[in-house]
Amino acid sequence: MEIITYVLSGALEHKDSMDNGRVIRQGEFQCMSAGTGVQHSEFNHAATEPVHLLQIWLLPDQKGLKPSYAERTGGQLPGGRLNLVASKSGRDGSIAIHQDAELYLAKLSPGQAVSHSLRPQRHAWVHVAEGEVTLNGQELKAGDGAAVSEEGLLELGAKAPSQVLLFDLN
């Protein structure tokens, strides 16, 4: 299983049987491939402050993979554009995953817009982590997700300060 975690606020403490133990802070991504088996625990690092995170589970494209672990900061990624965070090839500094998928993060200010072209036979999942956006004219708010198929172009526009995850999927 490929498990991608993105911390929106607060801090998440992670420990696993691969000797990875660390605090994942706001704006950071973590990817763990459970592969042939990993024991891990995650919990809120702070005793009094909440942690807000998104955790995405993807089936890998093959069985019996060796467990792996990777991190990437999203906090320093530029706003107003789609930033590649994870991909099969690990291109452009993204986290390498074992699936024909690409994960993008867009941090948008009100009035900013981005677009993404889907190749034929590709699909998308769009998740609004924070804020309020339009996706091809459809309004979406924090916590909303949209499955997209048979569209060539995705157009995202921010109505409020927003963070959006876009998955380009096979």
Side-chain angles (χ1 to χ4, degrees), residues 82 91 102 104 114-120 122-124 136 148 151-156 166-169:
L82 288 166
R91 75 178 190 284
E102 297 172 346
Y104 296 87
V114 295
S115 61
H116 179 74
S117 296
L118 284 177
R119 296 183 313 271
R122 302 286 292 182
H123 311 279
N136 291 0
V148 181
E151 291 282 340
L153 183 66
L154 303 179
E155 296 180 342
L156 281 165
L166 186 151
F167 294 83
D168 184 321
L169 306 164

Side-chain angles (χ1 to χ4, degrees), residues 24-159:
I24 314 303
R25 301 196 184 280
Q26 180 176 337
E28 295 180 335
F29 286 87
Q30 168 206 54
C31 182
M32 183 177 65
S33 177
T36 56
V38 171
Q39 293 180 335
H40 76 283
S41 64
E42 300 167 327
F43 52 92
N44 188 345
H45 180 67
T48 58
E49 295 178 33
V51 63
H52 180 196
L53 62 98
L54 296 173
Q55 192 167 76
I56 302 97
W57 292 46
L58 298 172
L59 289 174
D61 55 8
Q62 55 186 302
K63 293 183 178 185
L65 295 169
K66 287 180 60 177
S68 63
Y69 181 88
E71 297 172 2
R72 171 139 195 225
T73 183
Q76 304 302 322
L77 295 173
R81 60 175 279 196
L82 288 166
N83 297 284
L84 184 63
V85 174
S87 67
K88 178 140 180 94
S89 66
R91 75 178 190 284
D92 300 331
S94 65
I95 296 170
I97 57 174
H98 300 98
Q99 186 50 265
D100 183 8
E102 297 172 346
L103 168 59
Y104 296 87
L105 171 67
K107 295 188 276 186
L108 303 172
S109 298
Q112 285 185 316
V114 295
S115 61
H116 179 74
S117 296
L118 284 177
R119 296 183 313 271
Q121 307 301 312
R122 302 286 292 182
H123 311 279
W125 176 261
V126 176
H127 185 88
V128 182
E130 294 180 327
E132 189 176 338
V133 300
T134 59
L135 171 61
N136 291 0
Q138 178 72 41
E139 291 189 13
L140 300 171
K141 296 182 179 172
D144 287 346
V148 181
S149 293
E150 300 181 22
E151 291 282 340
L153 183 66
L154 303 179
E155 296 180 342
L156 281 165
K159 299 178 81 173

